[in-house]
Every structure is written in C-alpha cells, then in structure tokens.
Amino acid sequence: MENVIIFLKETVFGGIKMDRVTKGFLEEFSTSFGFSKLEETLQFEYFSNYCALSAESGDIEIDIQMMSTGDSAQGIDGIAIEVNGTIVEGLDDIENLIAQNKRLDVKFIFVQAKTSDKFENGQIGNFLTFVECFFSENAKTIFKTDEMLSFIEMKDYIYDNSKYMKAANPTINLYYISLGKWEQQDASINAVVESHKTKLEQSYLFSNINFIPCDAQKLQGMYRKSQQQLSATFTFSKRLTMFADENGDYGYSGVLPFSEFKKIICDENGSLKKVFEDNVRDFLGEKNYVNEDIENTIFDGGNSAFCMLNNGITVVAHSAILVSDKMTIGDYQIVNGCQTSHVLFLNRDSEKIDTLLIPIKIIVTQNEELKNKITKATNNQTSITKEQLEALSSYQKALEEYYKTFKDDERLYYERRSGQYRNEAIEKKRIVSIRTQIKNASAMLNEKPHDAAGHYSSLVKDIGVRLFKSDDKPSLYYTASLALFRFDNLIKSKAIDKKYSKGKYHIIMLLKYMFGDVPKFHNAKKNDTFCTKIQKVLNDHEKCLSYFTRIVEYIDAQGLDLSDRKLFERKETTEILLRNISQLKNKT
C-alpha cells in the first residue's frame, strides 16, 4: 500500500498510527467489503461499526454502511437499533415486528471510533453528550444529516409505541473505540462516564445503560470473533438417539430447559443469533394469534402443557460433539420453531421460564437435500403454501449452482444458507443473501424498487408467486444482483455521486429498459439472451459507467427532490420514472 511507513511494532496507515495486527484486520475488512478506496478514517469507522454490531448480533445481514450517521454528524459514528432480536432498517421493519409480536424489546447500539492513541475525557464526554441529545425532544434540530434523521424517526416511533414495551424499557450499549490502551482505573474518565450515565438514567427511558470501551486489543478480538463459525454448547441430558445411518447422518430427540435452550438462540450479549435464516416463517411472518397461543401455553399451562402442546424445535447442524451430557453444535440453523423461539426470547426474563422444558430435535447432516426435506416436512402447515416451501428450498439450490457457473470478476456467491461462506477467503461484498436477492429481484424484475428500499415485509408475499417460481430463469436473479453489485462499486469508487445510492433499486430497474423489449414472463426462453446482453455491459467498466451515468442523468431530468429522505420509498416515484421511460430508451 502507498504511504505506509513500517515500524517495529506499529505502522502509519494513511496518517493513522496503529499496530500492525489492527492494520492487517482493517485492510482485510476494507478489501472484503469494497471500502479500500475510501478515506482511511472512514474505513476505520466502518470497521469499528462492523466489529461492534457483530459483537452484538453475530452475522450481519444489513449493509454496514446503513449504520453510518452521515458525513457531518456530530459525535456519533454509528447507530444500530435492534427490535425483538432483529436489526431494523426503517419504520416498516418496526411496524411489522410490532404486528407480529405485539411487543417491543429494544436495544440501541451507538459507536464512536477514534484513531487517537489514547482515551480522552473530552472526546468521551462529547460522544455521550450527543447520545443524550439523540434522545432529547429537540433531536431533529440538533442533527441534520439524512441518516441521523432516519434513526431519530425510528427512535421516536419506538417510544411513541411504548405501550408494547411489556418486559422493560430499551437497553442502550455505548461503544467507544480508540487505538489507545484502556486503563480501567482512570478515575477522571470513569467520573465523566458515570456523570453521563446518570443523566441518561434520569431520563427514565432505559432499563440498562452500558458503556463499552474498546482499545486496539479488544477491537482485534471482536473482529476475530466475527470470522468464527456459529456454534453453541449446552447441557443435553434428557435425550435419546433417533437414528444414525451409513451416510454419517444422525439425530437426537429430547427436551431442554430454557436455561440451556437459550444458549442455542442467544449470544453472550443476550441478542438473538442468526439461526433462523433457513426457516420459512422467518421470511413470511405469522398471524399474531399463533404467538399469543404459544405465550399463553408458557404462562398458563406450565412445563407439562408446553411439552404436550408445542411441536418443538428442529435444529439442523453440520457438526455435533457430545462429551458426557455436554453437546457442542456447529454451523447450525433452526429450520422449524422460529415463532416458538422468538416468543421464548421475548419472555426470557419472565419468572420461572428457565425451568420450562422445550421439545427439541437435533439432526446432524451435511446433506443439503436431506436438509431441504426436513425443512419442508417440519413446515408443512396450512399457513405456508406448497409453492412458498418449494421456492425457499429446491429453487435455492438451483440458483446457487447457477451463480457458480461464473468465474473471476463475474463471480458472485449466492448464500442460501446463512454463514456458509464465513470461512472462505472471498470478498464479503460478493455474497448475496436470500434477503438481498429478494430485494434485487423485486426491484429489477417486478417494478417494486420502492418496497425494496423501505418496505421489505411486503416483498416476501411474492415468494412462490412472482419470485422463485420453479421455472423462472436463474439468469434473471443473477443479473439483478450483478447490476446492484456493479452500481455499488461505482458509488464506493466515487465514479458516481453517493447521493444516488438511495435510488439504487430504481436504477437497476431502469437499467433493463435500456436493452430493448423486456420479456414479460420470468420463464421466457429469451430471458437468457436478454440477460447476457445486460451482463456484457455490466462486465465492461467503461460501458457500465456510461449506462449508469445515463440513468442518473435521466433521474435528474425528472425534477425529483433528491433531498427528500423518503423519495425512493414511495410508489409514486417508481411511477414517475416508468412514465417517462421512453426518454431513457432513446438515449441508448
């Protein structure tokens, strides 16, 4: 790297003095996520946000840039809001979680990243002061960036719906990250922290306030942990072996007290692990009466009733080690029992819940076909249609295989199983999760970029109906993801102004109209030829930049107010851009 001066124990990275281990991790992170061309201080902010959020919630499904508070935000570099165990991206997510659960369990995560080599009273006090401002009545007059206003909007909505905070007020975790060494016994710094914590406590808005200082050594540990495989260790004494076959697959059945089961679904910070990615209902949601029935069984029927009336949990793991009664499972997912798990999680602080016995099956296999069969069998209920089950199982394998047909710079990685590429040396920016695929395809193929931008819950209704149908051409899905990947890279490299990043889903929708008549049906044979034309442009840097530049010029010509934070979440914006689409076609 240019302008890096090597010392015995430290380096100077773009003017930032840091130890060589942290520098190595920062470079690895920046390369993996496509941030290498950004200013070094911004890279460090994103790196710090990533480490903090990973420490809180394990696998990260959101774009880490969504934690950013904006270029000129005061005192705070990153914010994440966890609601009912899920990191939310907007009001729509919160509304959907309230509708499903009829309760709010909230954690606010704040990050301030400093590249100085010491912890300073003034900087720490400044960070905590602006956190106080964030929760004040006049927050919108203090913070001006679009990003901060969006976070404030979500915060206000949460407190406006405080009647759903049945267990406790929100928790707030405050990460202050510096390249210096944290001295816990520093009385002056401790006094500053305690003074601000007292002010926050006196607002009566929080149930728990945690100041988490992170020096270089702790930051390194957080990053290392983010790269490790998902695992859980628990005591499984009440069990029996269900089967063991010649293929090396085997399974156990039994019951776990909640005190042990929560080790499967919760991390040490009390957040939900990302173990529901293969669960159909995690995409589709549930009617609230189901959750109410589960909750009533927990509190009214006791241990016996819960075991008799609940279908239990099915876990599929790639590995399991059993020593006496201690079991450690690795690379696992809960394929059935998402709703039960969430209701138990939301009631995790209730009296006597630790002794509640939960029926559970643990199946150990690396056979993906068997895993799909288990998922389909355990979710074979009337609330899930046959088409949706098929879409979220069989089609995913075919789509993953199609992605694998591309090589070198054209290669993207379809992650149909959460964390499946965790231990592989590939760029994280090239990984496409199912959630991301749904957004990309809905925007580019189904003219729903406004929902992809802000109303994700409405998109899942299309699964098996307009998305992932068995005869859909996989080329369409890959092309949608490639288009977004290329556009994001142009934004990160500053070839296109980042002010257009909020319109990225509309931009990939418009792209397809620059290639002639768009096939009407997703299973049409001519889709493959149509997509090949688009891919050739996307894989030629100069042409790719030219096409996307024409699109942003077209957007500018429509007279839209790009400063409007909600512009690209409105259906009307999509209609305006499609109404004049002939103007864009004429430029090709």
Side-chain angles (χ1 to χ4, degrees):
M1 176 173 286
E2 295 181 359
N3 301 322
V4 176
I5 306 172
I6 306 296
F7 294 92
L8 287 177
K9 293 184 179 180
E10 297 176 325
T11 64
V12 175
F13 175 80
I16 303 170
K17 188 177 181 181
M18 67 178 64
D19 66 273
R20 295 177 68 175
V21 174
T22 304
K23 170 186 169 291
F25 286 164
L26 176 59
E27 288 183 337
E28 178 183 272
F29 165 82
S30 298
T31 300
S32 182
F33 284 88
F35 298 141
S36 296
K37 295 184 179 180
L38 301 180
E39 294 82 359
E40 290 80 5
T41 52
L42 188 56
Q43 290 181 40
F44 186 70
E45 285 181 15
Y46 288 162
F47 177 66
S48 299
N49 287 342
Y50 175 85
C51 290
L53 186 57
S54 181
E56 289 288 337
S57 62
D59 267 349
I60 298 176
E61 285 294 318
I62 70 168
D63 181 347
I64 198 64
Q65 291 173 282
M66 295 192 67
M67 279 189 71
S68 176
T69 55
D71 290 342
S72 57
Q74 311 100 303
I76 303 169
D77 291 325
I79 299 176
I81 303 175
E82 181 183 287
V83 177
N84 298 353
T86 300
I87 300 298
V88 294
E89 300 179 20
L91 291 183
D92 183 66
D93 287 345
I94 304 172
E95 292 170 357
N96 188 48
L97 288 166
I98 290 176
Q100 288 185 33
N101 304 123
K102 294 299 181 185
R103 71 167 60 214
L104 283 170
D105 187 354
V106 181
K107 182 193 296 181
F108 291 97
I109 301 159
F110 291 83
V111 181
Q112 175 71 341
K114 290 294 181 182
T115 56
S116 60
D117 58 358
K118 59 183 177 179
F119 288 80
E120 300 178 8
N121 287 358
Q123 296 289 358
I124 293 173
N126 188 60
F127 169 48
L128 298 176
T129 295
F130 279 109
V131 171
E132 293 163 15
C133 292
F134 179 84
F135 290 101
S136 68
E137 292 294 330
N138 59 338
K140 290 182 179 179
T141 65
I142 298 172
F143 300 101
K144 299 298 184 181
T145 68
D146 287 349
E147 294 88 345
M148 283 299 290
L149 292 175
S150 178
F151 286 123
I152 292 167
E153 185 178 59
M154 287 190 280
K155 176 262 299 183
D156 289 341
Y157 185 81
I158 286 168
Y159 281 105
D160 287 344
N161 287 274
S162 58
K163 64 182 179 181
Y164 294 110
M165 297 178 190
K166 296 182 180 180
N169 286 353
T171 292
I172 178 171
N173 288 347
L174 306 160
Y175 285 82
Y176 185 88
I177 297 172
S178 171
L179 292 174
K181 182 173 177 56
W182 171 250
E183 300 291 348
Q184 191 170 0
Q185 67 273 18
D186 191 316
S188 60
I189 290 181
N190 289 336
V192 170
V193 172
E194 290 305 315
S195 173
H196 285 281
K197 284 180 67 175
T198 298
K199 291 179 182 178
L200 288 168
E201 288 168 353
Q202 290 173 346
S203 70
Y204 303 106
L205 294 175
F206 315 105
S207 62
N208 199 15
I209 301 167
N210 303 301
F211 177 74
I212 306 168
C214 302
D215 57 15
Q217 188 173 13
K218 185 166 183 176
L219 186 64
Q220 292 167 15
M222 290 159 64
Y223 182 71
R224 285 190 181 99
K225 186 176 178 181
S226 74
Q227 306 305 301
Q228 294 172 357
Q229 187 183 77
L230 184 68
S231 67
T233 300
F234 51 92
T235 301
F236 196 10
S237 55
K238 297 181 179 180
R239 69 182 189 279
L240 58 85
T241 301
M242 290 191 299
F243 73 96
D245 63 26
E246 65 279 4
N247 298 317
D249 302 327
Y250 53 97
Y252 300 93
S253 178
V255 292
L256 283 177
F258 180 72
S259 59
E260 296 300 315
F261 175 69
K262 66 183 176 184
K263 297 173 183 177
I264 296 176
I265 63 170
C266 296
D267 61 21
E268 61 268 30
N269 296 308
S271 294
L272 272 179
K273 295 179 179 179
K274 301 299 182 184
V275 295
F276 306 103
E277 306 307 311
D278 291 341
N279 189 292
V280 177
R281 284 183 188 74
D282 198 38
F283 292 101
L284 303 176
E286 272 288 353
K287 298 297 183 182
N288 188 59
Y289 74 84
V290 175
N291 291 345
E292 289 179 347
D293 285 348
I294 295 172
E295 192 170 283
N296 290 337
T297 304
I298 292 172
F299 293 108
D300 297 339
N303 287 5
S304 298
F306 190 86
C307 282
M308 289 187 293
L309 299 176
N310 192 274
N311 290 331
I313 310 294
T314 302
V315 179
V316 176
H318 271 212
S319 64
I321 299 173
L322 184 63
V323 179
S324 186
D325 287 336
K326 284 284 186 181
M327 176 174 281
T328 298
I329 55 177
D331 196 10
Y332 66 93
Q333 287 284 300
I334 291 177
V335 300
N336 187 49
C338 176
Q339 299 306 308
T340 297
S341 298
H342 276 78
V343 173
L344 289 167
F345 171 78
L346 292 172
N347 291 283
R348 64 194 180 282
D349 296 323
S350 301
E351 186 179 359
K352 297 181 180 179
I353 194 173
D354 276 352
T355 61
L356 189 74
L357 295 177
I358 299 151
I360 188 167
K361 290 189 293 185
I362 296 177
I363 298 169
V364 183
T365 181
Q366 295 190 22
N367 184 324
E368 294 298 327
E369 184 177 351
L370 175 60
K371 187 176 180 181
N372 287 338
K373 289 179 180 178
I374 294 168
T375 302
K376 292 167 73 173
T378 53
N379 286 283
N380 192 17
Q381 301 175 22
T382 55
S383 59
I384 308 297
T385 68
K386 179 181 178 182
E387 289 77 17
Q388 290 164 333
L389 281 168
E390 185 68 25
L392 287 171
S393 56
S394 301
Y395 191 79
Q396 301 304 307
K397 178 65 175 175
L399 192 53
E400 181 187 24
E401 292 302 316
Y402 182 81
Y403 270 68
K404 289 180 180 179
T405 63
F406 295 89
K407 305 297 181 184
D408 302 322
D409 186 53
E410 299 176 23
R411 180 70 195 275
L412 301 178
Y413 298 80
Y414 188 56
E415 188 180 53
R416 63 187 177 87
R417 179 172 54 79
S418 179
Q420 71 186 85
Y421 296 112
R422 180 191 294 271
N423 297 321
E424 296 191 27
I426 59 175
E427 296 175 312
K428 299 297 186 293
K429 64 180 181 178
R430 291 182 178 272
I431 296 175
V432 180
S433 68
I434 294 181
R435 181 185 178 94
T436 301
Q437 181 69 90
I438 289 172
K439 286 186 174 185
N440 297 345
S442 296
M444 190 173 191
L445 310 182
N446 296 337
E447 276 76 43
K448 291 188 175 183
H450 47 282
D451 286 338
H455 308 283
Y456 175 75
S457 59
S458 66
L459 299 179
V460 298
K461 298 173 185 177
D462 283 344
I463 294 173
V465 180
R466 299 188 70 195
L467 290 173
F468 303 146
K469 294 181 71 174
S470 60
D471 57 352
D472 281 359
K473 293 293 184 181
S475 57
L476 290 168
Y477 294 91
Y478 168 81
T479 303
S481 295
L482 182 66
L484 195 72
F485 172 71
R486 297 298 190 207
F487 181 74
D488 277 344
N489 281 346
L490 292 174
I491 293 289
K492 290 175 180 176
S493 67
K494 299 183 179 181
I496 290 181
D497 196 308
K498 71 176 184 178
K499 70 180 181 180
Y500 296 104
S501 62
K502 290 184 178 180
K504 61 185 178 182
Y505 295 113
H506 289 76
I507 287 169
I508 65 171
M509 174 192 71
L510 295 172
L511 177 66
K512 69 180 181 182
Y513 288 103
M514 300 178 74
F515 292 85
D517 294 334
V518 177
K520 186 175 181 181
F521 301 105
H522 294 175
N523 62 354
K525 289 183 179 180
K526 59 183 177 180
N527 275 315
D528 288 334
T529 303
F530 184 74
C531 287
T532 297
K533 290 166 58 179
I534 300 176
Q535 292 167 19
K536 284 183 177 179
V537 167
L538 292 172
N539 293 325
D540 181 316
H541 178 75
E542 295 303 321
K543 288 183 179 179
C544 179
L545 177 58
S546 174
Y547 272 64
F548 280 124
T549 299
R550 294 179 206 170
I551 293 172
V552 297
E553 290 173 350
Y554 167 74
I555 291 175
D556 286 339
Q558 306 312 305
L560 298 170
D561 181 7
L562 296 181
S563 66
D564 181 353
R565 291 189 301 116
K566 298 292 185 179
L567 175 67
F568 291 108
E569 297 178 22
R570 299 192 189 99
K571 186 177 181 181
E572 292 78 8
T573 302
T574 304
E575 293 171 343
I576 290 171
L577 292 174
L578 289 176
R579 185 183 307 146
N580 300 312
I581 196 66
S582 59
Q583 298 175 15
L584 184 61
K585 290 180 179 179
N586 291 337
K587 290 187 177 184
T588 59

